[in-house]
Amino acid sequence: MSSLVTGSVAVCTLAVAGLASALSAAHAQASVLLKNQTATAVVETVDRDAREVLLREGNGHLITVEYGSAVRDLPHLHEGDHLKIRFVETLGAQMAPPDSPLPESTLTTARGYAHGHPRGVIAAFNRERGTIKAIDLNTHTASFVTDDGALHVAVLRTQAMQDFLATLKIGDVVDITRAESISYVLTNENVPQPPANGQQLAVPAGDSVAATPAPATQAAPPAAPLEAPAAAGQ
């Protein structure tokens, strides 16, 4: 899935609602919550050939959800459905164990019922491995090369990632995981009821799938996602 959401609201560009961080005793890993936002929307169209669904928010803005070939179908969704949506994005980084296999990106979905309402979840875990080429603690900047040979520059704005950066040195190998999820609950006046043995999602309504969730330890002001590895020169 190249992008969960494009348009007026994007999973990768939502305002930061809070910050979660987790550091091991040796500061060998870090995780931050980048996005956490809810919205209401109506399904305008479901294009199963293009594998896209067009949503209209309560404020009239349009959102395009691209669910990719890895997803057989969007659970429950049909034109005219009213939804409560939650977008979540996290970023995690950790030292790669010696001789460990390359991390693999994955995309998963789930469907079920939450308090009697049909619900679906799509979660993409985009993983890559990078080798540190340069570190500037004064500007909180790291340059690294991924296995495809591309050079990236990351400017780290959160304390958790800055603390992690301080533990690194040139040549270290780091695994990076960006997790994006969209969860939705049908809120139609009349919704299909679950069968007697209907599946109930393990997570309650309002929660979402995210990578290595961690307890919130400090708040961060709303900002654009500054932790994302950017192309060199950005």
Side-chain angles (χ1 to χ4, degrees), residues 60-83:
H61 292 168
L62 293 174
I63 307 170
T64 299
V65 177
E66 303 171 357
Y67 55 97
S69 59
V71 180
R72 294 183 179 179
D73 201 357
L74 281 179
H76 301 301
L77 286 188
H78 300 87
E79 288 84 352
D81 283 341
H82 290 252
L83 307 176

Side-chain angles (χ1 to χ4, degrees):
M1 182 165 56
S2 59
S3 173
L4 285 175
V5 176
T6 58
S8 61
V9 176
V11 169
C12 292
T13 57
L14 299 179
V16 174
L19 171 67
S21 64
L23 295 176
S24 70
H27 295 278
Q29 61 182 359
S31 178
V32 293
L33 175 64
L34 299 178
K35 313 289 178 293
N36 188 347
Q37 182 169 331
T38 59
T40 58
V42 176
V43 178
E44 292 283 317
T45 60
V46 179
D47 189 333
R48 289 176 170 80
D49 292 330
R51 311 191 74 79
E52 294 179 352
V53 58
L54 181 65
L55 307 177
R56 185 178 298 276
E57 288 188 276
N59 58 14
H61 292 168
L62 293 174
I63 307 170
T64 299
V65 177
E66 303 171 357
Y67 55 97
S69 59
V71 180
R72 294 183 179 179
D73 201 357
L74 281 179
H76 301 301
L77 286 188
H78 300 87
E79 288 84 352
D81 283 341
H82 290 252
L83 307 176
K84 181 179 179 181
I85 305 170
R86 188 170 187 178
F87 304 104
V88 175
E89 182 183 6
T90 66
L91 179 67
Q94 65 178 6
M95 295 285 291
D99 302 320
S100 61
L102 290 175
E104 296 183 0
S105 296
T106 58
L107 188 148
T108 60
T109 63
R111 62 182 299 164
Y113 294 84
H115 305 295
H117 289 259
R119 182 181 181 199
V121 178
I122 308 174
F125 298 87
N126 301 305
R127 302 180 175 96
E128 60 183 350
R129 177 167 291 177
T131 302
I132 302 298
K133 295 299 183 182
I135 297 173
D136 189 333
L137 295 180
N138 292 326
T139 60
H140 310 298
T141 302
S143 300
F144 60 94
V145 174
T146 47
D147 287 326
D148 59 3
L151 176 65
H152 303 263
V153 177
V155 181
L156 307 179
R157 303 295 188 187
T158 60
Q159 189 62 53
M161 286 297 177
Q162 291 175 6
D163 290 345
F164 177 67
L165 179 65
T167 70
L168 300 178
K169 63 182 183 300
I170 306 301
D172 279 346
V173 179
V174 177
D175 286 340
I176 302 164
T177 299
R178 178 180 291 276
E180 302 172 345
S181 74
I182 175 173
S183 63
Y184 49 90
V185 179
L186 268 68
T187 59
N188 300 347
E189 183 175 346
N190 296 310
V191 297
Q193 293 301 304
N197 60 347
Q199 176 188 8
Q200 296 287 335
L201 289 184
V203 285
D207 288 345
S208 293
V209 178
T212 57
T217 56
Q218 66 181 86
L226 298 175
E227 300 296 343
Q234 293 184 351

